[in-house]
Amino acid sequence: MRIESLARPSVLSQPVYQPGKPIDYVARELGLDPAGIIKLASNENTFGPSPRAIEAATKALSQGALYPDGGCYELRRRLASFHGLGPDQFVVGNGSNELIELLGHVFLGPGDEVVMATPAFVVYKLVTLLFGAKPVEVPLRDWTHDLPAMAAAVTSRTKLVCVCSPNNPTGTANSGEELEAFIRAMPDHVVVVIDEAYAEYLENPPDLKPIIREGKHLICLRTFSKIYGLAALRVGYGYASPELCALLERVRQPFNVNAIAQVAALAALDDGDFAERCRRANAEGMAAVELALSGLGIEFVRSKANFLLSKVGDGDTCFSRMQQIGIIIRPMASYGLNDWVRITIGEAKANGALVEGLRAWFWTASIAAKEGPNRWRQGDRPSG
Ligand SMILES: Cc1ncc(COP(=O)(O)O)c(C=O)c1O
């Protein structure tokens, strides 16, 4: 008997998540020096973690023989004072990805529907399918979540509605007023999930806590992987009513967030200056890259996050081309955007290298267009 015949059917049809390529992987594949590779593929903070988080994590290693506090007591207390909610209104996960999965464990089964935008963060769809539920995908409007259309897609079978703001991969955000009206209009059998992974990059992030305090079925998801620069440590959190958090607590693994991640997250929260410097540096980098792309005649979607969706022609080929010169970006074909790539905004030097790489790509692509397909594959690379 083949092992696959023993698996749940939804596992066999499950699409596989395509992550941004790790630096070491690309270095091995292309024989490049990893030190020279620039990764702008996964919306990480290229400024790294706060030095205070590094110090706290390093110290915590000496306690590595002990299991962590599975309930994340200190971190939840700190988050509570940070956000002005109770500690029982937080659930901490192994990245916010895990929280999306926990929502699936609690709420989803065959016959249920999840309303989400397309393109939006792909994990909502993956988790929906994994639990045998049905994704109901509502196209973006002007690259932004079309909240009225999403509301219209809700049925008696809808369990979750996922809104990503700012949205990955477009970087667009819905206003606080829009989100509030949308959440208030949701029927009681629906749990609204607002994914705020990039909220810290907004100058004035919407404050949805009053709606949580009113007892609406709402959970907001945040992560330490983006502005706090702790993607490797895997820590994210959700805030919601104590009842909703208690349900998620029931289905998590006992020690889902490691001790190093917990103390690093605490220290990162305490270093608000570092986060604010990263936010400002990102805004400056974004303005510089937008200006350069405009100069090159490259179309892009105006972004409020730390990445930019750019129309470069053939996204897959542009990605390979950039990789050959040591710059990892993200092709968007898996999101149905064949002509687009998503690029993370980095430090000034990385941004400069990215723009030069794209300039070279366009130069080559325009020659290829003049001289016929596959011209660029013959290996004559312009210096840029
Ligand atoms: C919109 C969005 N939500 C959630 C995540 C998951 O973040 P993590 O699991 O690292 O906390 C990401 C990661 O890229 C994201 O873009």
Side-chain angles (χ1 to χ4, degrees):
M1 183 183 271
R2 280 166 55 84
I3 190 73
E4 288 82 2
S5 64
L6 302 175
R8 287 191 293 119
S10 66
V11 171
L12 298 181
S13 56
Q14 181 68 10
V16 177
Y17 180 75
Q18 304 284 343
K21 289 203 181 175
I23 288 176
D24 286 341
Y25 179 97
V26 171
R28 269 196 311 275
E29 202 176 49
L30 299 177
L32 299 173
D33 175 5
I37 294 181
I38 298 169
K39 186 176 180 220
L40 299 173
S42 302
N43 309 338
E44 294 136 332
N45 183 351
T46 63
F47 296 93
S50 145
R52 285 164 68 172
I54 296 174
E55 195 189 328
T58 309
K59 266 196 203 148
L61 280 172
S62 64
Q63 296 299 307
L66 304 177
Y67 281 106
D69 168 14
C72 295
Y73 178 80
E74 289 298 341
L75 182 54
R76 284 191 298 109
R77 270 165 51 103
R78 181 69 186 85
L79 286 167
S81 71
F82 187 82
H83 284 288
L85 293 168
D88 57 353
Q89 294 191 271
F90 291 86
V91 53
V92 188
N94 198 264
S96 53
N97 262 315
E98 189 194 18
L99 295 164
I100 302 169
E101 185 182 342
L102 297 186
L103 286 162
H105 277 294
V106 172
F107 294 109
L108 299 182
D112 294 330
E113 292 179 357
V114 180
V115 175
M116 62 194 74
T118 181
F121 186 46
V122 72
V123 172
Y124 317 137
K125 185 172 177 179
L126 298 186
V127 166
T128 303
L129 293 171
L130 190 60
F131 288 93
K134 181 179 160 201
V136 177
E137 296 181 280
V138 178
L140 300 178
R141 188 154 169 244
D142 295 332
W143 297 105
T144 309
H145 277 57
D146 185 348
L147 296 180
M150 289 180 75
V154 169
T155 70
S156 58
R157 290 180 298 279
T158 308
K159 283 295 198 62
L160 301 178
V161 174
C162 301
V163 176
C164 188
S165 184
N167 183 37
N168 178 5
T170 57
T172 51
N174 293 89
S175 71
E177 293 74 31
E178 283 171 337
L179 290 171
E180 195 174 323
F182 174 77
I183 297 161
R184 288 193 193 288
M186 280 299 120
D188 217 31
H189 67 276
V190 170
V191 177
V192 183
V193 182
I194 306 286
D195 188 339
E196 302 180 321
Y198 303 96
E200 292 90 355
Y201 287 104
L202 296 172
E203 240 168 274
N204 291 305
D207 180 5
L208 301 173
K209 290 184 286 282
I211 315 182
I212 291 177
R213 290 192 195 96
E214 285 168 26
K216 209 62 197 158
H217 298 328
L218 164 67
I219 181 164
C220 298
L221 304 181
R222 296 239 178 161
T223 179
F224 285 92
S225 300
K226 305 302 175 183
I227 209 159
Y228 293 112
L230 296 176
L233 297 188
R234 312 304 302 127
V235 53
Y237 62 97
Y239 53 103
S241 66
E243 295 77 16
L244 178 38
C245 291
L247 288 171
L248 294 168
E249 285 287 326
R250 280 170 176 262
V251 295
R252 69 167 174 79
Q253 289 295 310
F255 305 109
N256 60 330
V257 182
N258 72 72
I260 320 294
Q262 291 185 37
V263 294
L266 271 166
L269 270 184
D270 285 339
D271 198 353
D273 286 351
F274 177 81
E276 178 53 22
R277 279 202 301 280
C278 291
R279 194 188 67 72
R280 272 193 260 119
N282 178 68
E284 282 163 23
M286 179 71 77
V289 173
E290 282 183 349
L291 190 68
L293 293 191
S294 300
L296 291 172
I298 303 179
E299 190 182 333
F300 57 86
V301 178
R302 285 229 176 262
S303 168
K304 296 195 167 136
N306 66 339
F307 54 86
L308 208 51
L309 185 64
S310 312
K311 192 171 183 187
V312 291
D314 175 349
D316 278 345
T317 310
C318 176
F319 157 76
S320 311
R321 194 71 180 173
M322 295 292 281
Q323 200 173 246
Q324 281 161 14
I325 59 167
I327 302 175
I328 315 173
I329 57 175
R330 192 72 161 265
M332 284 284 111
S334 61
Y335 282 79
L337 298 167
N338 294 349
D339 289 350
W340 299 74
V341 294
R342 193 193 63 203
I343 48 192
T344 306
I345 301 300
E347 296 163 275
K349 204 168 151 211
N351 296 338
L354 168 86
V355 168
E356 284 317 305
L358 286 176
R359 193 193 306 280
W361 151 254
F362 267 83
W363 186 87
T364 318
S366 65
I367 302 257
K370 277 190 204 123
E371 299 191 7
N374 300 330
R375 163 73 170 76
W376 67 269
R377 290 199 184 118
Q378 291 166 16
D380 63 336
R381 204 169 87 205
S383 65

